[in-house]
Amino acid sequence: MADNKVYRASTTAPVNIAVVKYWGKRDTKLNLPTNSSISVTLSQADLRTLTTASCSASYSDGDSLTLNGEPSEVSGARTQACFRELRARRTGLEAANSSLPKLSAMPLRIVSENNFPTAAGLASSAAGFAALVQAIANLYELPDSPSELSLIARQGSGSACRSLFGGYVAWRMGDKEDGSDSIADLVAPASHWPNMRALILVASSAKKGVSSTSGMQQTVATSGLFQRRITEIVPANMNTMEDAIKAKDFAKFAEVTMRDSNSFHACCADTYPPIFYMNDTSRAAIRAVESINAKAGKTIAAYTFDAGPNCVIYYLEENKPTVLGAFTQVLNGVSGWKEGSAGVTSSVRLEDGIASALRDGVGRVIMTGVGEGPQKTEEYLVGEDGKAVKF
Amino acid sequence: MADNKVYRASTTAPVNIAVVKYWGKRDTKLNLPTNSSISVTLSQADLRTLTTASCSASYSDGDSLTLNGEPSEVSGARTQACFRELRARRTGLEAANSSLPKLSAMPLRIVSENNFPTAAGLASSAAGFAALVQAIANLYELPDSPSELSLIARQGSGSACRSLFGGYVAWRMGDKEDGSDSIADLVAPASHWPNMRALILVASSAKKGVSSTSGMQQTVATSGLFQRRITEIVPANMNTMEDAIKAKDFAKFAEVTMRDSNSFHACCADTYPPIFYMNDTSRAAIRAVESINAKAGKTIAAYTFDAGPNCVIYYLEENKPTVLGAFTQVLNGVSGWKEGSAGVTSSVRLEDGIASALRDGVGRVIMTGVGEGPQKTEEYLVGEDGKAVKF
């Protein structure tokens, strides 16, 4: 009698927001980057992907993937690369121990849910591929370390490799042609600098115009300034940022974060035709952060923008009244403020032009902090019968 | 009896809009640039400064300057440098010919009027200093060539040196410490490529946030990408642009114009703190030009932005229906369209998002073309009695 059992495992995985940005591939097939990068992993209490990987000989329709309730292609090269790499590792285990069930030969059924809007510049593909890889690794009971799994996740989505860790994470670009040294590693765990906070101003939840996958290669191909970024600017930012994180030097952390975001968006603007991810709301958020720092007389807040108009503002818990209060004053009508934050008062009064641009363009805020890497969970999106659980 | 005669001379001078941008000084006192630049001189029928220079032993209040009806400082180092250089040349003439009146010793009274808004990113300081220098040169009957006068105008405002010529003008950065080789020269006269047209979308006539004088030195001091612009990008753009102008190759002219504008604004965005001259209206104008070129199947329009949100669009007269018609459709309510242009029809329909952003942000258009350098005129802003003429 055939083994028709449904095997399953679930994990959550976090979003990460880079403070030294990944932008540009030197190998598009293997997702090998033109430069190293560093990110902060955000708390999964606020932003996370939940993924259940299951497999069963009874799955007659081959591998499948459901994202946020919608069937999704598994035939893409990136997803296929992840499946292939993970199955190869499972095959190795099965070959070494014949008592193991032959999961590697069974169709996979993957079901995944984000608790935040997809493709709005909130790094959903990073959390998504990290969760997919970790969930299958759990299902297959792979002994691989997070760095080893990061090699696989990287092939799904470059920045996904950084979501295999919590805290402060570096993706080392490596220099080998096969990409075997292009992996993520831990700069410092969340507990090293646990008072790091992030406020996200969601400027738009519309799908962005130019995908980062396409945009970054247009930059590589056409920006005259880009070479300087990858050969000079980023290597220097990597060093300064690692030092800043290790020393918990917020002012240094903030300056590199802001400068690197600016450098990345400058290279987008220098792309031909130019790519603009930031809009007038984004620029108002920059001016707001500058006002907060000017009023404080020191750098207590840092802005950064991924491939979209949303502003992520890093700050430390002890500066919450000043930083958060400046925004609650002008954005008290939008959703997402946590209990108690509306009552925070700040000495900063944003000028009218900044305040009205923020009011016009920010639809929602997300208050979060630094968090842990993927967490195994007993919450399943595939039932014991192999059917996707409906919510 | 003292000579109380009022001596006077008038000139007009044009605005120029760079297609390879000047941004950054290597010597702030002498206004020596970090890179060469090329501009198109716009027609004075639409945009010009009119300046009368006068002098008289009867002027008891010293040197004075009136701009657009308002008294203006003459004590600034830049204005002083122009006065000093011009007086020195006049002194030389007077020393060689004792029959000449001693104008160099008389106080100067300068009155100047623009026919367009000041300091809105419309290169008013360029036209202003070119007119000031040319008017005094006329008053002093200096034999200096436009290139020689460009050396003086450059000390008033860098880009002013290019407004001493009509047509297509290069400012050669030079390499001498005293700046004696940092001069403008003619790439081609207006008559070489007379069908060049410019449409200016005036996105805002508000004074700009960061002056170009201050902004460019912030870029020099803080942008990590800027070195690449001045050492690699601009030298290549200068060569390609000169070739394109000489060959009247519009597609090449347009691509360099757009890429160089993008590179300049990218360096502004990479400045710390970042400088943003373009806004959402400016970006809509870029998308409009891209739509026009896509629809035409070739490059028939080129955008460029100086240190402000206004978009200058270069095109050739033969493409007027397609280029102009795309904008008249969505901006038929704004002022500045010339007779007949409202009836122009284009095959280009701008998409709704672009159209509405343009409608929201463009307050006025200016239709103009390539034009001549400074013109001596008998129109005076100072009467024979030495009094400023009121309008």
Side-chain angles (χ1 to χ4, degrees), chain A residues 10 27 44-45 62 68-69 98 125 139 141 144 155 200 203 208 235 239 267 293 311-312 331 335 360:
Chain A
S10 278
D27 181 318
Q44 296 185 56
N68 296 312
S98 62
S125 70
L139 175 71
E141 298 183 327
D144 300 68
Q155 296 175 60
I200 307 177
K208 59 200 181 193
N239 288 336
C267 288
N293 291 333
C311 184
V312 177
L331 294 173
S335 64
D360 288 349

Side-chain angles (χ1 to χ4, degrees), chain B residues 39-364:
Chain B
S39 58
V40 178
T41 295
L42 299 186
S43 169
Q44 296 184 57
D46 305 299
L47 296 166
R48 59 114 189 88
T49 297
L50 166 64
T51 298
T52 299
S54 74
C55 62
S56 173
S58 70
Y59 291 169
S60 54
D61 49 355
D63 295 338
S64 71
L65 176 59
T66 303
L67 296 181
N68 296 313
E70 300 289 331
S72 183
E73 250 338 305
V74 292
S75 60
R78 293 146 154 256
T79 306
Q80 284 297 313
C82 293
F83 286 1
R84 187 173 57 244
E85 293 268 356
L86 290 158
R87 280 197 166 106
R89 280 164 172 74
R90 173 71 190 182
T91 303
L93 296 183
E94 291 165 0
N97 180 353
S98 61
S99 74
L100 292 176
K102 301 291 181 289
L103 304 189
S104 64
M106 298 176 186
L108 283 161
R109 182 168 293 170
I110 319 281
V111 181
S112 187
E113 296 270 353
N114 295 331
N115 64 349
F116 57 91
T118 306
L122 278 173
S124 57
S125 70
F129 271 104
L132 179 138
V133 168
Q134 185 69 58
I136 299 175
N138 292 352
L139 175 71
Y140 288 171
E141 299 182 326
L142 302 183
D144 300 68
S145 70
S147 273
E148 288 166 327
L149 293 180
S150 81
L151 275 173
I152 304 175
R154 187 203 75 220
Q155 295 175 60
S157 168
S159 56
C161 73
R162 296 185 313 237
S163 277
L164 268 310
F165 293 88
Y168 304 84
V169 186
W171 174 10
R172 313 291 176 186
M173 64 179 288
D175 54 21
K176 291 189 186 163
E177 265 191 43
D178 68 357
S180 59
D181 58 351
S182 187
I183 61 169
D185 67 28
L186 192 66
V187 175
S191 59
H192 164 74
W193 203 0
N195 49 335
M196 182 67 74
R197 298 289 175 270
L199 171 67
I200 307 177
L201 307 178
V202 184
S204 166
S205 60
K207 282 224 173 195
K208 59 201 181 193
V210 179
S211 78
S212 52
T213 302
S214 151
M216 65 173 69
Q217 291 317 97
Q218 294 171 34
T219 300
V220 171
T222 66
S223 166
L225 302 176
F226 181 66
Q227 277 302 315
R228 175 104 180 161
R229 169 165 169 80
I230 63 175
T231 58
E232 306 278 335
I233 308 302
V234 171
N237 285 351
M238 286 295 294
N239 288 336
T240 312
M241 182 55 82
E242 288 205 61
D243 291 349
I245 291 169
K246 281 169 184 159
K248 293 186 270 187
D249 180 340
F250 187 83
K252 196 188 272 187
F253 168 90
E255 181 171 341
V256 177
T257 296
M258 294 187 279
R259 281 179 178 271
D260 194 81
S261 176
N262 294 341
S263 160
F264 151 48
H265 289 280
C267 287
C268 291
D270 186 53
T271 301
Y272 188 75
I275 300 170
F276 302 113
Y277 289 120
M278 296 199 294
N279 58 25
D280 285 350
T281 305
S282 314
R283 277 177 290 281
I286 288 180
R287 297 305 174 219
V289 168
E290 290 170 354
S291 298
I292 290 166
N293 291 333
K295 180 76 183 181
K298 59 182 179 173
T299 306
I300 62 170
Y303 56 78
T304 187
F305 297 83
D306 276 357
N310 301 329
C311 184
V312 178
I313 298 165
Y314 288 114
Y315 63 99
L316 298 179
E317 174 66 19
E318 52 265 42
N319 294 313
K320 180 175 170 178
T322 311
V323 178
L324 225 53
F327 291 101
T328 53
Q329 275 167 36
V330 300
L331 293 173
N332 52 357
V334 309
S335 64
W337 295 111
K338 289 189 178 173
E339 202 144 317
S341 54
V344 166
T345 54
S346 173
S347 55
V348 182
R349 293 280 170 282
L350 297 177
E351 63 175 73
D352 291 349
I354 296 171
S356 69
L358 291 174
R359 258 186 230 108
D360 288 349
V362 176
R364 177 188 169 195

